[in-house]
Amino acid sequence: MAKSHRLIVVGGGLAGLMTTIKACEAGMDVDLFSVVPVKRSHSVCAQGGINGAVNTKGEGDSPWEHFDDTVYGGDFLANQPPAHKMCEAAPGIIYLMDRLGVPFSRTPEGLLDFRRFGGTKHHRTAFAGASTGQQLLYALDEQVRAFEVAGKVRKFEGWEFLGMVKDSDGADAKCCGIVATNCVTMEVRAFRAAAVALATGGPGLIYGKSTNSMINTGFAAAVSYMQGAKYANGEFIQVHPTAIPGEDKLRLMSESARGEGGRVWVPRNGKPWYFLEEMYPAYGNLVPRDIATRAIYKVVYDMGLGVNGKPVVYLDLSHIPAETLRKKLGAILEIYEKFMGVDPTKVPMQVFPAVHYSMGGLWVDYDQMTNVPGLFAVGEVDYSIHCANRLGANSLLSCIYAGIVAGPAMAKWTKKLKTYADDLPASLYESAVKAHSQRIDFVKKMDGPENPFELGRELGEWMTRNVTVVRYNKKLEETDTKIQELIERWFRIGVKDRGEWGNQCVHYTRQLYTMLQLARVITIGALKRNESRGAHYKPDSPERDDANFLKTTIAMYEPPRVPGVGFGRPREAGEHAFSYEPVDVSLIKPRARKYDVDKGASAAAVVQPVASK
Amino acid sequence: MQDSKRNERTVELHIRRQEKPGAEPRWEIFQLQWRPNLNVIAVLMDIRANPVTADGKATTPPAWDCACLEEVCGACTMIINGVPRQACTALIDKLEQPLRLEPMSKFPVLRDLMVDRSRMFEHLKTVKAWINMDGTHDIGPGPRYSQSLALERYKLSECMTCGCCLEACPQYGPHSKFIGPQAISQVRLFNSHPSGAMSAATRLEAVMGPGGITDCGDAQNCVKVCPKSIPLTESIGVVSQKTTLHAFKKLLWFGS
């Protein structure tokens, strides 16, 4: 039988599943790894919708307009060609998902319905109830299951990626597989592949409580970074303006609540003050997330106007007929009711900003390949498209789009390979397994006074306080020092569970080490960027500085550890080296970003789409 | 005064522990300080950070599955005070104490509250719960259909494969081949889509054999425990009717 190339996809959310499907269609066989059954991936949490300029509302919307909103919303830090291509592909992606059976909300004519989201003036967001991410994920999960039945896909659910395997120690080493561990049996095994795609989502758990799922540790990205992959724009962390405070997590209250007419207010002088509407008359409650979040911070912390003196504001839907709300926002209103025990159609919801999304991530080229040949990254784990700030309902789109690019690109990559992964020496994989097994054994034997979950909580508190909405260099420096202290203390962790089976304590302790390293990348990146842009805001340098910072931040771990990653104390470990890369702004000339006036009014310098396809 | 009194409030929790498959299960009792807005997950997190039982003995942190904590992923399903449900939406103040946490009984226990529900995904393969697509390339819009059908399909499509319905179903379990209400409801979901309907017969036939729809004992427990209020018994009714019709048609067809 002729030899064939196999691919590995790590992560079974929207991006991973789309990559898998596209790779299968390109003739490849795929091994799909996921820490949870793929149907339980974090994509389920996306509520509001998916953007695409289908233009069925007579508003003159177009992919170019969507593209302009996207790069304007992202404060011009995006490389424009891939963002442009994504917006061009968007209507086709929505049609595809409709064909696959996603129960999108519809118009009286039976066409797709669209709602408004933040940062745009157009009805451009297709939605399925109020759990659009869940519905899109299920549609792709079903198609992957069909490929699984057809023998094209092998699933490894309940397996966690530990690191990539490279085919040499050289600077041009290619990724030729992964080492993974079974979360229950704790078995450590190497898997060969012609190329690997990481689709492992964001690092929300670094912030302790966030809107992210409990699986979003950022571990896979952090390990790959420590093995030599570039990490880009780590400092750009989106804080969603409206989340429901909780003891275990901060639950998202979708932007669609505002898209359907929800108003944000606090009591002032005995009357409701609709501060977003007053501060930003052109966009009102539908300003982009970074703008809304900062306004809420200002009202709550600077002006002391939080509801009942607490850090919360009202998000009010009670003026909209309950029937309309149930139909359009049913699932998210249920969430509020279930967790808070209050009916949001009658009483205003109490919300506060929460860490939500990482615009930064692994650096990728326009084929979604990282700087490590053969290692691809797709979805939230990659840095492309959104840059300084992501627009609502662009994430589901970018995940699917990344998969559409990566699947065929990986298939094409295998054509260039001169060797099959199966022909590489076994010693390569055996030594990788040995290195990772040794690390896990090291963790299992840890016997100090510190509790890993408490350390994680401390990290989260520091990061949330100092590396989110308002950033001061002094605080950032202190935070970096603190993280280094936490790394020192990590070595004094005591693992309370000596079990050889489903040992979540060992898994978390191992993850925490790399989370601490990634926290440093985020913090130092923020410290070095002395300007304000999108989600990154420094009161001491309040303006955007295109002359010095219209650049992508690139972090590299030096020297990278191959094939495993040694645990090292801050002084013994590698250095986080930072550099900057120019941004491709060839399609739309950067202009000032303002939401108190209409977009076009901020500058007349919109380049016409002469070169667009 | 009031505050100090409030701080004395505690939460008592009994957790069924099991080290690994086949190991002998045991109960452990935990007592924690009460706080407002606690759910079962937050309490488990507290125990994880300080794994000490009510009588002061150090123990291992209990293992449990969870992901989204917003009741859309289905991961954290367990039996709480005798009822299968998600731990994230189980609010402490609305539950009777002492709380009893157990793993689901219809699936193999992996450790403590973690179970292996992979069988549920096999059922989805059995009933071919997907649209047979021509490919993912851009070939224009999908079929038009009404908003009322979209709403009906959305309701069915909210199934997060959590397993509550199967836990509650007396016919389902390691003892039987019955695929259960979740998979049968998926037959209805896909057969109601204009493109899915083109391969309706194969899905109906998948539930016509042993372990299929006729194994339903009509206990109607499934619909009572579904966290998403999916009309499971209605789905079973609809699919049952269609299978009968389909069998009849086939009979006529062979007869002619």
Side-chain angles (χ1 to χ4, degrees):
Chain A
M1 208 176 105
K3 276 187 185 157
S4 65
H5 288 295
R6 285 194 83 81
L7 301 179
I8 282 178
V9 174
V10 184
L14 274 183
L17 295 180
M18 197 63 199
T19 304
T20 302
I21 292 169
K22 279 287 179 185
C24 287
E25 288 187 330
M28 307 297 300
D29 289 343
V30 178
D31 289 345
L32 176 58
F33 290 76
S34 171
V35 283
V36 288
V38 296
K39 208 178 169 178
R40 311 203 194 284
S41 302
H42 179 60
S43 302
V44 293
C45 284
Q47 298 172 347
I50 175 168
N51 286 336
V54 178
N55 189 31
T56 52
K57 301 277 185 190
E59 297 171 331
D61 198 8
S62 66
W64 183 267
E65 193 62 34
H66 180 190
F67 167 53
D68 187 73
D69 283 342
T70 300
V71 294
Y72 183 74
D75 230 345
F76 292 95
L77 201 59
N79 282 319
Q80 293 180 358
H84 181 225
K85 281 191 176 157
M86 176 189 82
C87 296
E88 295 241 297
I93 286 172
I94 292 174
Y95 285 151
L96 165 67
M97 298 314 292
D98 189 35
R99 282 172 46 223
L100 299 185
V102 173
F104 282 121
S105 197
R106 313 190 90 86
T107 67
E109 282 191 47
L111 295 169
L112 296 173
D113 199 5
F114 291 87
R115 62 164 46 130
R116 255 190 83 193
F117 244 64
T120 183
K121 292 275 191 175
H122 298 89
H123 287 75
R124 184 188 290 151
T125 308
F127 59 103
S131 57
T132 312
Q134 178 196 43
Q135 295 303 312
L136 296 174
L137 179 79
Y138 288 2
L140 296 186
D141 170 62
E142 288 146 10
Q143 293 303 323
V144 167
R145 191 163 293 109
F147 280 115
E148 199 186 351
V149 170
K152 300 282 289 173
V153 173
R154 286 194 305 196
K155 272 190 196 153
F156 294 84
E157 291 175 323
W159 285 78
E160 184 178 3
F161 170 87
L162 289 177
M164 61 176 140
V165 182
K166 290 186 184 177
D167 65 356
S168 74
D169 288 341
D172 58 345
K174 292 194 285 292
C175 174
C176 61
I178 69 167
V179 177
T181 185
N182 184 303
C183 301
V184 174
T185 67
M186 317 279 285
E187 178 192 357
V188 177
R189 231 172 104 185
F191 297 85
R192 296 168 184 251
V196 173
L198 293 183
T200 47
L205 251 66
I206 286 176
Y207 285 85
K209 289 198 280 186
S210 72
T211 66
N212 282 196
S213 293
M214 303 314 289
I215 48 180
N216 299 135
T217 57
F219 177 79
V223 163
S224 304
Y225 161 71
M226 293 179 77
Q227 288 187 282
K230 292 181 189 170
Y231 201 87
N233 287 337
E235 65 270 29
F236 289 98
I237 297 287
Q238 179 164 81
V239 179
H240 195 288
T242 61
I244 313 163
E247 282 294 308
D248 50 342
K249 88 169 280 194
L250 311 172
R251 294 177 175 84
L252 180 67
M253 178 42 61
S254 169
E255 192 165 300
S256 56
R258 284 175 288 138
E260 298 294 348
R263 302 174 78 186
V264 176
W265 62 277
V266 288
R268 189 175 65 168
N269 306 326
K271 280 192 308 215
W273 178 35
Y274 299 98
F275 55 92
L276 287 176
E277 294 168 33
E278 190 179 301
M279 291 173 184
Y280 302 102
Y283 287 77
N285 294 290
L286 281 177
V287 287
R289 293 172 177 178
D290 55 324
I291 310 271
T293 294
R294 277 196 292 278
I296 293 171
Y297 260 55
K298 187 176 171 192
V299 165
V300 167
Y301 290 125
D302 299 351
M303 304 173 75
L305 289 173
V307 177
N308 298 327
K310 285 193 228 147
V312 282
V313 298
Y314 285 129
L315 170 54
D316 197 350
L317 289 163
S318 59
H319 56 285
I320 303 169
E323 180 66 11
T324 314
L325 292 174
R326 290 272 164 230
K327 198 169 79 189
K328 294 199 160 162
L329 299 169
I332 58 162
L333 299 184
E334 264 172 40
I335 287 177
Y336 193 83
E337 224 170 325
K338 275 193 175 171
F339 288 98
M340 303 305 280
V342 181
D343 180 359
T345 65
K346 298 199 178 83
V347 182
M349 297 182 277
Q350 298 196 9
V351 296
F352 197 68
V355 167
H356 182 53
Y357 187 90
S358 171
M359 276 73 74
L362 293 172
W363 180 93
V364 289
D365 64 15
Y366 293 176
D367 281 335
Q368 300 290 143
M369 190 158 89
T370 69
N371 58 305
V372 179
L375 180 71
F376 293 71
V378 284
E380 188 175 345
V381 76
D382 90 56
Y383 90 112
S384 63
I385 311 283
H386 309 296
C387 287
N389 171 60
R390 174 174 69 75
L391 288 192
N394 260 356
S395 61
L396 295 176
L397 175 63
S398 65
C399 283
I400 297 177
Y401 174 72
I404 288 177
V405 173
M410 290 171 83
K412 202 169 143 197
W413 164 258
T414 64
K415 305 271 186 312
K416 290 187 212 158
L417 295 175
K418 295 188 179 75
T419 341
Y420 288 90
D422 284 344
D423 293 339
L424 292 170
S427 58
L428 211 59
Y429 296 91
E430 283 159 9
S431 66
V433 167
K434 199 173 155 205
H436 285 286
S437 301
Q438 280 171 348
R439 297 179 71 223
I440 292 171
D441 288 340
F442 176 88
V443 172
K444 278 181 188 165
K445 290 192 187 109
M446 292 175 88
D447 196 19
E450 298 277 3
N451 180 303
F453 300 105
E454 285 299 335
L455 282 191
R457 196 177 289 189
E458 227 173 292
L459 170 69
E461 277 165 13
W462 272 78
M463 292 297 289
T464 303
R465 201 179 324 129
N466 300 327
V467 203
T468 50
V469 182
V470 182
R471 299 167 170 188
Y472 295 95
N473 282 349
K474 189 168 166 287
K475 295 279 176 195
L476 293 169
E477 278 166 10
E478 284 168 20
T479 306
D480 188 43
T481 308
K482 178 71 186 181
I483 301 169
Q484 293 177 65
E485 176 210 307
L486 291 172
I487 294 173
E488 289 285 352
R489 283 167 59 195
W490 183 89
F491 286 90
R492 297 199 293 275
I493 282 176
V495 171
K496 298 240 166 95
D497 189 347
R498 302 278 171 217
E500 293 287 326
W501 191 269
N503 192 328
Q504 295 176 334
C505 209
V506 166
H507 295 317
Y508 182 75
T509 304
R510 165 177 53 75
Q511 290 158 354
L512 182 62
Y513 181 85
T514 56
M515 284 160 70
L516 288 161
Q517 295 293 351
L518 192 55
R520 288 199 70 197
V521 173
I522 295 168
T523 307
I524 300 170
L527 178 63
K528 288 181 181 281
R529 186 176 279 276
N530 283 318
E531 63 157 353
S532 291
R533 184 188 297 271
H536 172 75
Y537 172 65
K538 282 187 172 175
D540 297 334
S541 0
E543 299 298 323
R544 190 172 90 191
D545 178 1
D546 282 352
N548 292 305
F549 287 105
L550 182 52
K551 285 169 188 160
T552 302
T553 307
I554 305 278
M556 284 199 81
Y557 193 71
E558 286 171 348
R561 301 284 195 265
V562 181
V565 185
F567 294 118
R569 290 183 159 84
R571 272 175 312 255
E572 310 150 4
E575 288 294 320
H576 302 281
F578 282 78
S579 60
Y580 294 88
E581 189 184 84
V583 175
D584 183 342
V585 288
S586 56
L587 299 173
I588 297 175
K589 193 175 159 215
R591 60 189 193 275
R593 177 175 180 254
K594 294 163 80 178
Y595 287 93
D596 50 347
V597 292
D598 284 346
K599 189 177 67 166
S602 80
V606 182
V607 179
Q608 285 310 302
V610 265
S612 92
K613 186 191 85 181
Chain B
M1 181 63 204
Q2 271 238 308
D3 268 8
S4 68
K5 215 171 191 179
R6 209 175 279 162
N7 285 340
E8 286 162 22
R9 276 181 70 177
T10 55
V11 180
E12 188 176 313
L13 201 67
H14 297 209
I15 304 179
R16 193 177 142 114
R17 308 284 311 261
Q18 184 176 332
E19 241 160 68
K20 53 166 74 175
E24 198 54 39
R26 65 181 199 283
W27 286 89
E28 267 182 0
I29 302 174
F30 297 90
Q31 208 146 32
L32 294 106
Q33 204 169 56
W34 176 90
R35 296 196 302 279
N37 284 332
L38 283 176
N39 60 359
V40 166
I41 297 285
V43 170
L44 285 170
M45 283 175 168
D46 279 5
I47 295 176
R48 182 173 74 177
N50 183 27
V52 176
T53 61
D55 51 6
K57 264 195 260 164
T59 182
T60 53
W64 79 95
D65 273 324
C66 70
C68 80
L69 306 191
E70 294 180 10
E71 209 192 63
V72 278
C73 81
C76 66
T77 312
M78 56 185 74
I79 302 179
I80 301 170
N81 288 354
V83 181
R85 57 182 298 183
Q86 280 71 53
C88 62
T89 35
L91 307 183
I92 296 299
D93 291 349
K94 294 195 172 169
L95 291 164
E96 206 174 300
Q97 287 196 41
L99 245 78
R100 291 166 66 86
L101 307 186
E102 298 167 75
M104 284 194 279
S105 67
K106 299 290 175 75
F107 306 97
V109 174
L110 296 171
R111 183 177 175 176
D112 299 334
L113 302 167
M114 293 166 71
V115 295
D116 177 6
R117 281 172 280 180
S118 51
R119 196 178 165 203
M120 292 188 76
F121 298 106
E122 293 303 314
H123 301 326
L124 296 178
K125 290 179 190 167
T126 307
V127 300
K128 300 181 171 56
W130 54 77
I131 302 283
N132 291 309
M133 65 162 177
D134 289 352
T136 59
H137 40 285
D138 189 359
I139 49 174
R144 281 190 185 193
Y145 57 91
S146 69
Q147 173 67 354
S148 62
L149 180 59
L151 285 174
E152 183 188 308
R153 296 194 63 250
Y154 176 68
K155 193 73 233 160
L156 301 174
S157 187
E158 275 189 288
C159 173
M160 50 193 182
T161 327
C162 69
C164 286
C165 60
L166 302 183
E167 180 65 29
C169 172
Q171 313 302 325
Y172 188 85
H175 61 279
S176 90
K177 282 203 163 83
F178 184 41
I179 59 167
Q182 63 113 6
I184 293 171
S185 190
Q186 293 285 307
V187 171
R188 180 183 176 201
L189 168 65
F190 286 95
N191 285 4
S192 70
H193 186 269
S195 315
M198 294 172 191
S199 42
T202 55
R203 285 186 210 97
L204 292 177
E205 277 164 25
V207 294
M208 282 166 71
I213 192 143
T214 52
D215 286 12
C216 168
D218 204 24
Q220 310 207 0
N221 289 357
C222 53
V223 73
K224 288 180 205 139
V225 295
C226 176
K228 294 290 149 189
S229 312
I230 297 170
L232 293 166
T233 44
E234 190 185 293
S235 289
I236 292 171
V238 169
V239 175
S240 176
Q241 215 175 24
K242 300 269 185 196
T243 49
T244 311
L245 205 67
H246 182 68
F248 190 60
K249 268 192 205 157
K250 260 177 95 173
L251 212 65
L252 281 181
W253 189 58
F254 279 120
S256 61

